[in-house]
Amino acid sequence: MQNDITALSSEFDAALAAANSATALDELRVRYFGRKGGLIPALFSRLKEVPKEQKKDVGDALNKLRDRIESELKEKTERIAAEEAGRKEARETLDVTLPARKPRLGHLHPVTLVRQEVEQLFREMTYTIDPGPEIETDWYNFEALNFTPDHPARDTQDTFFVDVVEKGGHLPGAPLLLRTHTSNVQIRSMEKWKPPVKVLSCGRVYRRDEITMRRSPMFHQAEGFVVDRGIHIGHLRATLEFMIRRLFGPDSKMRMRPSFFPFTEPSAEVDMSCIFCRGAGCGTCSQTGWMEILGCGMIHPQVLRNCGIDPEEWSGFAFGMGLDRVAMLKYDIPNIRTIFENDLRVLEQF
Ligand code: PHE
């Protein structure tokens, strides 16, 4: 019996040394202490065969062996668990030298970028930024801007009307409409603030147009205007030159061509030197070296009168520019549809 105890003891030492995982240690626990066929219980059950005078010594030896196996198994199990936890921690340690994964950033829309640029340069000239309403009455979009009652722009062919009628106002019962230009802000601002005023207004405008490469029924305009004493066309020209150079580079040139708008007199259309050929003539500018960029003029005396402003004392200039077109030119986008489709593969380039 003593021999069996000694043999089991050395067998255990070898088995413990070989067991290097939690599972192997579990197997050992079963081997020595398992309810069925566990080696330690088996030895205990043989105690009854031991002669009386040896019983105490053998029993002591067996108890010692059991305690030793128990505590050594426990200790090694704990050590292996701690080592495993350590390895796991090491695996999870932050390697600061690893190149970072590039985060996916949001991008501003090209029209927003242009809008911000325009707003910023007029803010520097102390203009007030006021987007104005998109749903408008006939008065602010047409009448006060000197459009005659039979002007073709007022036709349902050109203007989107809204299914809601004007309450009170200038033409009670007349349908509201989606503004066809940002010039409505001229009237609203002159009504709100008495001159001197300097306002820049960027926003959406609507016209009943088919979608083509260059047109869309919804697009964006920037409207700028100044009313003060002694404002003349030189102020207009200098302001536009400043804007065009800021937007398209310091060597950009501009020219004014006579034109007509009901709300400005005189009126002009402004061309700037083609940004693709720098004036030499190319396919984009139809070999002229120029491209049309905006409409402008001196605010018509009747428009000032419509806002209760005396044209003998005050004068002003105004201009309106398509922001989508500026974005298309600046970022070389050939089709306006690209601007409104919002394909992320396109937007992510800005
Ligand atoms: N509102 C005009 C348009 O939409 C542009 C414009 C604005 C012209 C201001 C003159 C002065 O075409």
Side-chain angles (χ1 to χ4, degrees), residues 180-183 186 207 221 223 261 263-264 295-297 318-321:
T180 59
H181 52 185
T182 39
S183 300
Q186 290 186 30
R207 289 181 200 172
Q221 280 189 338
E223 184 100 4
F261 299 103
F263 41 95
T264 47
C296 65
F319 68 89
M321 176 173 74

PDB file of all heavy atoms in Angstrom, residues 180-183 186 207 221 223 261 263-264 295-297 318-321, ligand 1:
ATOM      1  N   THR A 180     -38.834  82.579 -58.402  1.00  0.00           N
ATOM      2  CA  THR A 180     -38.146  82.222 -59.648  1.00  0.00           C
ATOM      3  C   THR A 180     -36.731  82.789 -59.661  1.00  0.00           C
ATOM      4  O   THR A 180     -35.951  82.520 -60.562  1.00  0.00           O
ATOM      5  CB  THR A 180     -38.917  82.764 -60.861  1.00  0.00           C
ATOM      6  OG1 THR A 180     -39.019  84.195 -60.723  1.00  0.00           O
ATOM      7  CG2 THR A 180     -40.310  82.174 -60.931  1.00  0.00           C
ATOM      8  N   HIS A 181     -36.438  83.628 -58.662  1.00  0.00           N
ATOM      9  CA  HIS A 181     -35.088  84.207 -58.521  1.00  0.00           C
ATOM     10  C   HIS A 181     -34.939  84.697 -57.077  1.00  0.00           C
ATOM     11  O   HIS A 181     -35.923  84.738 -56.330  1.00  0.00           O
ATOM     12  CB  HIS A 181     -34.841  85.327 -59.528  1.00  0.00           C
ATOM     13  CG  HIS A 181     -35.908  86.402 -59.540  1.00  0.00           C
ATOM     14  ND1 HIS A 181     -35.922  87.430 -60.443  1.00  0.00           N
ATOM     15  CD2 HIS A 181     -36.996  86.598 -58.750  1.00  0.00           C
ATOM     16  CE1 HIS A 181     -36.969  88.216 -60.210  1.00  0.00           C
ATOM     17  NE2 HIS A 181     -37.640  87.729 -59.193  1.00  0.00           N
ATOM     18  N   THR A 182     -33.723  85.060 -56.705  1.00  0.00           N
ATOM     19  CA  THR A 182     -33.516  85.543 -55.333  1.00  0.00           C
ATOM     20  C   THR A 182     -33.773  87.047 -55.233  1.00  0.00           C
ATOM     21  O   THR A 182     -33.585  87.633 -54.165  1.00  0.00           O
ATOM     22  CB  THR A 182     -32.075  85.222 -54.859  1.00  0.00           C
ATOM     23  OG1 THR A 182     -31.176  85.426 -55.955  1.00  0.00           O
ATOM     24  CG2 THR A 182     -31.961  83.806 -54.357  1.00  0.00           C
ATOM     25  N   SER A 183     -34.224  87.667 -56.333  1.00  0.00           N
ATOM     26  CA  SER A 183     -34.452  89.122 -56.294  1.00  0.00           C
ATOM     27  C   SER A 183     -35.578  89.508 -55.337  1.00  0.00           C
ATOM     28  O   SER A 183     -35.681  90.679 -54.950  1.00  0.00           O
ATOM     29  CB  SER A 183     -34.729  89.645 -57.703  1.00  0.00           C
ATOM     30  OG  SER A 183     -33.621  89.386 -58.543  1.00  0.00           O
ATOM     31  N   GLN A 186     -34.428  91.500 -52.422  1.00  0.00           N
ATOM     32  CA  GLN A 186     -34.241  92.955 -52.538  1.00  0.00           C
ATOM     33  C   GLN A 186     -35.412  93.674 -51.878  1.00  0.00           C
ATOM     34  O   GLN A 186     -35.231  94.555 -51.037  1.00  0.00           O
ATOM     35  CB  GLN A 186     -34.190  93.373 -54.021  1.00  0.00           C
ATOM     36  CG  GLN A 186     -32.961  92.933 -54.776  1.00  0.00           C
ATOM     37  CD  GLN A 186     -32.953  93.523 -56.188  1.00  0.00           C
ATOM     38  OE1 GLN A 186     -33.478  94.594 -56.433  1.00  0.00           O
ATOM     39  NE2 GLN A 186     -32.363  92.787 -57.127  1.00  0.00           N
ATOM     40  N   ARG A 207     -37.863  77.090 -61.428  1.00  0.00           N
ATOM     41  CA  ARG A 207     -38.480  77.446 -62.708  1.00  0.00           C
ATOM     42  C   ARG A 207     -38.943  76.181 -63.403  1.00  0.00           C
ATOM     43  O   ARG A 207     -38.288  75.135 -63.298  1.00  0.00           O
ATOM     44  CB  ARG A 207     -37.489  78.194 -63.609  1.00  0.00           C
ATOM     45  CG  ARG A 207     -37.219  79.588 -63.103  1.00  0.00           C
ATOM     46  CD  ARG A 207     -36.277  80.360 -63.984  1.00  0.00           C
ATOM     47  NE  ARG A 207     -35.710  81.477 -63.215  1.00  0.00           N
ATOM     48  CZ  ARG A 207     -34.729  82.257 -63.634  1.00  0.00           C
ATOM     49  NH1 ARG A 207     -34.198  82.053 -64.829  1.00  0.00           N
ATOM     50  NH2 ARG A 207     -34.286  83.230 -62.880  1.00  0.00           N
ATOM     51  N   GLN A 221     -29.189  80.518 -56.532  1.00  0.00           N
ATOM     52  CA  GLN A 221     -28.681  81.822 -56.949  1.00  0.00           C
ATOM     53  C   GLN A 221     -28.051  82.541 -55.763  1.00  0.00           C
ATOM     54  O   GLN A 221     -28.380  82.281 -54.607  1.00  0.00           O
ATOM     55  CB  GLN A 221     -29.826  82.701 -57.467  1.00  0.00           C
ATOM     56  CG  GLN A 221     -30.240  82.388 -58.895  1.00  0.00           C
ATOM     57  CD  GLN A 221     -31.230  83.415 -59.441  1.00  0.00           C
ATOM     58  OE1 GLN A 221     -31.907  84.104 -58.681  1.00  0.00           O
ATOM     59  NE2 GLN A 221     -31.289  83.516 -60.752  1.00  0.00           N
ATOM     60  N   GLU A 223     -27.697  86.516 -54.718  1.00  0.00           N
ATOM     61  CA  GLU A 223     -28.146  87.867 -55.055  1.00  0.00           C
ATOM     62  C   GLU A 223     -27.422  88.840 -54.145  1.00  0.00           C
ATOM     63  O   GLU A 223     -27.379  88.645 -52.932  1.00  0.00           O
ATOM     64  CB  GLU A 223     -29.655  87.957 -54.795  1.00  0.00           C
ATOM     65  CG  GLU A 223     -30.284  89.267 -55.180  1.00  0.00           C
ATOM     66  CD  GLU A 223     -30.997  89.156 -56.531  1.00  0.00           C
ATOM     67  OE1 GLU A 223     -31.037  88.034 -57.090  1.00  0.00           O
ATOM     68  OE2 GLU A 223     -31.498  90.179 -57.001  1.00  0.00           O
ATOM     69  N   PHE A 261     -33.554  93.775 -67.574  1.00  0.00           N
ATOM     70  CA  PHE A 261     -34.346  93.193 -66.493  1.00  0.00           C
ATOM     71  C   PHE A 261     -35.341  94.271 -66.087  1.00  0.00           C
ATOM     72  O   PHE A 261     -34.987  95.453 -66.085  1.00  0.00           O
ATOM     73  CB  PHE A 261     -33.456  92.816 -65.292  1.00  0.00           C
ATOM     74  CG  PHE A 261     -32.400  91.790 -65.621  1.00  0.00           C
ATOM     75  CD1 PHE A 261     -31.073  92.185 -65.797  1.00  0.00           C
ATOM     76  CD2 PHE A 261     -32.726  90.446 -65.763  1.00  0.00           C
ATOM     77  CE1 PHE A 261     -30.099  91.252 -66.116  1.00  0.00           C
ATOM     78  CE2 PHE A 261     -31.748  89.512 -66.079  1.00  0.00           C
ATOM     79  CZ  PHE A 261     -30.444  89.905 -66.259  1.00  0.00           C
ATOM     80  N   PHE A 263     -36.333  95.157 -63.313  1.00  0.00           N
ATOM     81  CA  PHE A 263     -36.063  95.786 -62.014  1.00  0.00           C
ATOM     82  C   PHE A 263     -34.721  96.507 -61.946  1.00  0.00           C
ATOM     83  O   PHE A 263     -34.315  96.967 -60.880  1.00  0.00           O
ATOM     84  CB  PHE A 263     -36.155  94.741 -60.888  1.00  0.00           C
ATOM     85  CG  PHE A 263     -35.539  93.410 -61.259  1.00  0.00           C
ATOM     86  CD1 PHE A 263     -34.228  93.129 -60.911  1.00  0.00           C
ATOM     87  CD2 PHE A 263     -36.270  92.464 -61.954  1.00  0.00           C
ATOM     88  CE1 PHE A 263     -33.656  91.921 -61.268  1.00  0.00           C
ATOM     89  CE2 PHE A 263     -35.692  91.247 -62.307  1.00  0.00           C
ATOM     90  CZ  PHE A 263     -34.390  90.977 -61.969  1.00  0.00           C
ATOM     91  N   THR A 264     -34.000  96.550 -63.072  1.00  0.00           N
ATOM     92  CA  THR A 264     -32.750  97.322 -63.081  1.00  0.00           C
ATOM     93  C   THR A 264     -32.706  98.202 -64.325  1.00  0.00           C
ATOM     94  O   THR A 264     -33.249  97.850 -65.371  1.00  0.00           O
ATOM     95  CB  THR A 264     -31.503  96.397 -63.071  1.00  0.00           C
ATOM     96  OG1 THR A 264     -31.685  95.369 -64.050  1.00  0.00           O
ATOM     97  CG2 THR A 264     -31.265  95.781 -61.710  1.00  0.00           C
ATOM     98  N   GLY A 295     -26.324  88.302 -64.134  1.00  0.00           N
ATOM     99  CA  GLY A 295     -27.079  89.466 -64.575  1.00  0.00           C
ATOM    100  C   GLY A 295     -27.021  90.530 -63.494  1.00  0.00           C
ATOM    101  O   GLY A 295     -26.921  90.215 -62.302  1.00  0.00           O
ATOM    102  N   CYS A 296     -27.059  91.807 -63.902  1.00  0.00           N
ATOM    103  CA  CYS A 296     -26.944  92.861 -62.904  1.00  0.00           C
ATOM    104  C   CYS A 296     -27.478  94.179 -63.442  1.00  0.00           C
ATOM    105  O   CYS A 296     -27.915  94.271 -64.592  1.00  0.00           O
ATOM    106  CB  CYS A 296     -25.488  93.028 -62.493  1.00  0.00           C
ATOM    107  SG  CYS A 296     -24.447  93.598 -63.852  1.00  0.00           S
ATOM    108  N   GLY A 297     -27.427  95.202 -62.618  1.00  0.00           N
ATOM    109  CA  GLY A 297     -27.842  96.526 -63.063  1.00  0.00           C
ATOM    110  C   GLY A 297     -28.012  97.463 -61.891  1.00  0.00           C
ATOM    111  O   GLY A 297     -27.782  97.093 -60.731  1.00  0.00           O
ATOM    112  N   ALA A 318     -27.638  95.913 -58.110  1.00  0.00           N
ATOM    113  CA  ALA A 318     -27.992  94.538 -57.752  1.00  0.00           C
ATOM    114  C   ALA A 318     -27.412  93.599 -58.793  1.00  0.00           C
ATOM    115  O   ALA A 318     -27.200  93.979 -59.941  1.00  0.00           O
ATOM    116  CB  ALA A 318     -29.509  94.372 -57.700  1.00  0.00           C
ATOM    117  N   PHE A 319     -27.131  92.380 -58.343  1.00  0.00           N
ATOM    118  CA  PHE A 319     -26.715  91.352 -59.310  1.00  0.00           C
ATOM    119  C   PHE A 319     -27.252  90.002 -58.849  1.00  0.00           C
ATOM    120  O   PHE A 319     -27.524  89.800 -57.660  1.00  0.00           O
ATOM    121  CB  PHE A 319     -25.185  91.285 -59.451  1.00  0.00           C
ATOM    122  CG  PHE A 319     -24.506  90.761 -58.215  1.00  0.00           C
ATOM    123  CD1 PHE A 319     -24.295  89.386 -58.040  1.00  0.00           C
ATOM    124  CD2 PHE A 319     -24.084  91.627 -57.218  1.00  0.00           C
ATOM    125  CE1 PHE A 319     -23.682  88.897 -56.893  1.00  0.00           C
ATOM    126  CE2 PHE A 319     -23.474  91.149 -56.070  1.00  0.00           C
ATOM    127  CZ  PHE A 319     -23.279  89.780 -55.906  1.00  0.00           C
ATOM    128  N   GLY A 320     -27.438  89.091 -59.802  1.00  0.00           N
ATOM    129  CA  GLY A 320     -27.876  87.734 -59.476  1.00  0.00           C
ATOM    130  C   GLY A 320     -27.046  86.739 -60.260  1.00  0.00           C
ATOM    131  O   GLY A 320     -26.849  86.892 -61.470  1.00  0.00           O
ATOM    132  N   MET A 321     -26.528  85.734 -59.538  1.00  0.00           N
ATOM    133  CA  MET A 321     -25.591  84.793 -60.176  1.00  0.00           C
ATOM    134  C   MET A 321     -26.009  83.359 -59.868  1.00  0.00           C
ATOM    135  O   MET A 321     -26.430  83.058 -58.749  1.00  0.00           O
ATOM    136  CB  MET A 321     -24.195  85.062 -59.604  1.00  0.00           C
ATOM    137  CG  MET A 321     -23.119  84.120 -60.079  1.00  0.00           C
ATOM    138  SD  MET A 321     -21.499  84.657 -59.502  1.00  0.00           S
ATOM    139  CE  MET A 321     -21.583  84.225 -57.765  1.00  0.00           C
TER     140      MET A 321
HETATM  141  N1  PHE B   1     -32.935  87.938 -61.061  1.00  0.00           N
HETATM  142  C1  PHE B   1     -32.210  87.901 -62.290  1.00  0.00           C
HETATM  143  C2  PHE B   1     -32.315  86.465 -62.866  1.00  0.00           C
HETATM  144  O1  PHE B   1     -32.729  85.585 -62.180  1.00  0.00           O
HETATM  145  C3  PHE B   1     -30.756  88.241 -62.102  1.00  0.00           C
HETATM  146  C4  PHE B   1     -30.549  89.647 -61.664  1.00  0.00           C
HETATM  147  C5  PHE B   1     -30.445  89.977 -60.317  1.00  0.00           C
HETATM  148  C6  PHE B   1     -30.414  90.668 -62.601  1.00  0.00           C
HETATM  149  C7  PHE B   1     -30.242  91.267 -59.928  1.00  0.00           C
HETATM  150  C8  PHE B   1     -30.207  91.953 -62.220  1.00  0.00           C
HETATM  151  C9  PHE B   1     -30.111  92.267 -60.870  1.00  0.00           C
HETATM  152  O2  PHE B   1     -31.957  86.233 -64.004  1.00  0.00           O
END
